[in-house]
Amino acid sequence: MTGETDWYLDACALINLYASGRLAEVAGVLGVRFHVVPKVYPEEAGYILSPQPDGRRERERIDLSPMIQRGVVLQTGAPRGAAVAALVRFAAQVDDGEAMTMAVALTAVPRPAGVVTDDEAALRLLRGEHDASFTTSLSLLRLWSEVAAVEVPEIRTALHNVEVRGRYRPGPRHPEYAWWLASREVD
């Protein structure tokens, strides 16, 4: 992760960070602002799963209102200008939410912003973009845990929440796969 202060979350990143229960804390500890485009929130990232005492999991609506009111998360408008051309180019290669997130972030004025995604196709595409800053939700969680010196049980809880509530488990090619496995191991 570079020194970006503005990071645009695609749907999978938003779901993972929200499900972890640490989205606002990650932003505060790392000194960043998160942005979401209309396609991502509330459209694509609408729900996480909430475990119930009887073992069922019910859909729980993602509610960013408190974080939006506090300025932790900023909602952007629809793409305009250079972002529209970038959106068309990206949409041919990745899903709509990732394409809009990347287009708006990479054409942001006065300077481009970073993109947070765990989508393999989006990460591959971003690697080919000149001067693109990008990271993953798990990289942000790892950095948060290091900067804030978070205790191991708290890290495990956050990652468990990502897996259960966010329905996400990284594959072996994810940049934080080894950290994920090591952090989830029981002593």
Side-chain angles (χ1 to χ4, degrees):
M1 184 172 125
T2 62
E4 298 292 340
T5 56
D6 290 285
W7 289 92
Y8 283 72
L9 303 171
D10 74 357
C12 59
L14 173 57
I15 290 168
N16 290 345
L17 290 171
Y18 188 86
S20 77
R22 304 300 183 159
L23 188 142
E25 196 174 321
V26 168
V29 166
L30 301 181
V32 300
R33 283 182 307 270
F34 291 124
H35 300 258
V36 290
V37 298
K39 184 70 177 170
V40 167
Y41 181 79
E43 192 174 326
E44 288 184 354
Y47 297 92
I48 59 172
L49 293 180
S50 180
Q52 302 301 304
D54 63 4
R56 292 177 306 111
R57 294 182 186 157
E58 289 186 3
R59 288 170 45 140
E60 175 186 328
R61 180 165 286 289
I62 291 176
D63 180 13
L64 295 180
S65 335
M67 288 179 254
I68 290 169
Q69 290 172 352
R70 292 193 333 256
V72 172
V73 176
L74 305 170
Q75 290 182 289
T76 69
R80 297 186 344 217
V84 174
L87 173 60
V88 170
R89 186 166 58 87
F90 294 144
Q93 301 173 65
V94 293
D95 291 336
D96 293 347
E98 284 84 10
M100 186 179 288
T101 298
M102 291 168 32
V104 173
L106 299 180
T107 61
V109 176
R111 64 185 182 90
V115 175
V116 185
T117 184
D118 291 285
D119 182 84
E120 284 187 39
L123 289 167
R124 211 172 20 257
L125 183 56
L126 286 163
R127 284 185 194 101
E129 288 297 308
H130 179 67
D131 291 337
S133 292
F134 57 94
T135 192
T136 68
S137 64
L138 297 183
S139 294
L140 291 177
L141 286 169
R142 180 186 49 78
L143 190 57
W144 156 75
S145 73
E146 293 168 357
V147 170
V150 176
E151 298 290 327
V152 172
E154 260 186 277
I155 297 167
R156 284 190 185 132
T157 297
L159 296 180
H160 175 78
N161 287 343
V162 169
E163 186 171 1
V164 173
R165 297 172 52 115
R167 302 173 313 273
Y168 181 75
R169 175 180 267 257
R173 288 186 289 198
H174 191 286
E176 298 296 343
Y177 184 69
W179 175 77
W180 169 277
L181 289 178
S183 297
R184 302 224 353 131
E185 288 180 6
V186 179
D187 296 330

